[in-house]
Amino acid sequence: LGKPTEIYEVLVNFIKNALEAMPHGGSLTVTSYIKDENIYLEMADNGFGIPKENFQRIFEPFFTTREVGDGTGLGLSVVHGIVMRHDGDIIIDSKPGKGTRVRVYLPLADDMHQ
């Protein structure tokens, strides 16, 4: 029952961030699966990873590590709001220098788990 344009926004934001974390190339895997009455959207990259000092702030509005004029710092804040409005959650595992795995889960519509 999710709004397709909003789910698209979630995917685009996380994929864009993953690609920016791999400026010289790398690996990005995007998968989806159903488990425990949820649909999972998972993105994993082998980019820079998220430094520990930034991890707690990634969903904070206007927080960015980019240069001035190269982003507003609203992307992940908006994504977080979209996922929460869909009664879902976001789980992020990141290791600096090794990459990041983002798992978004959203509950299935009632008629989907029959």
Side-chain angles (χ1 to χ4, degrees), residues 8 11-13 20 41 46 49 62 84 89 93 106 109-110:
Y8 175 80
L11 289 168
V12 166
N13 263 281
E20 288 175 359
L41 308 171
N46 63 351
F62 304 107
M84 295 302 115
D89 204 357
D93 179 36
L106 304 164
D110 286 337

Side-chain angles (χ1 to χ4, degrees), residues 18 22 27-31 42-46 100-102:
M22 302 181 296
S27 175
L28 170 62
T29 304
V30 179
T31 57
E42 190 170 298
M43 291 133 293
D45 68 64
N46 63 351
T100 301
R101 177 179 307 270
V102 175

Side-chain angles (χ1 to χ4, degrees), residues 4-91:
T5 56
E6 290 187 348
I7 303 307
Y8 175 80
E9 180 76 16
V10 170
L11 289 168
V12 166
N13 263 281
F14 280 121
I15 291 170
K16 181 177 176 276
N17 284 349
L19 294 174
E20 288 175 359
M22 302 181 296
H24 305 293
S27 175
L28 170 62
T29 304
V30 179
T31 57
S32 65
Y33 56 94
I34 294 173
K35 180 181 174 187
D36 300 327
E37 299 184 358
N38 293 298
I39 185 162
Y40 288 82
L41 308 171
E42 190 170 298
M43 291 133 293
D45 68 64
N46 63 351
F48 297 140
I50 302 167
K52 288 182 181 186
E53 64 270 14
N54 295 342
F55 197 82
Q56 296 298 320
R57 300 186 66 196
I58 59 175
F59 296 122
E60 185 179 302
F62 304 107
F63 175 73
T64 184
T65 58
R66 295 189 186 122
E67 297 293 323
V68 174
D70 191 25
T72 62
L74 289 174
L76 291 183
S77 175
V78 169
V79 161
H80 186 262
I82 290 169
V83 172
M84 295 302 115
R85 280 193 307 277
H86 283 82
D87 295 322
D89 204 357
I90 303 170
I91 300 165

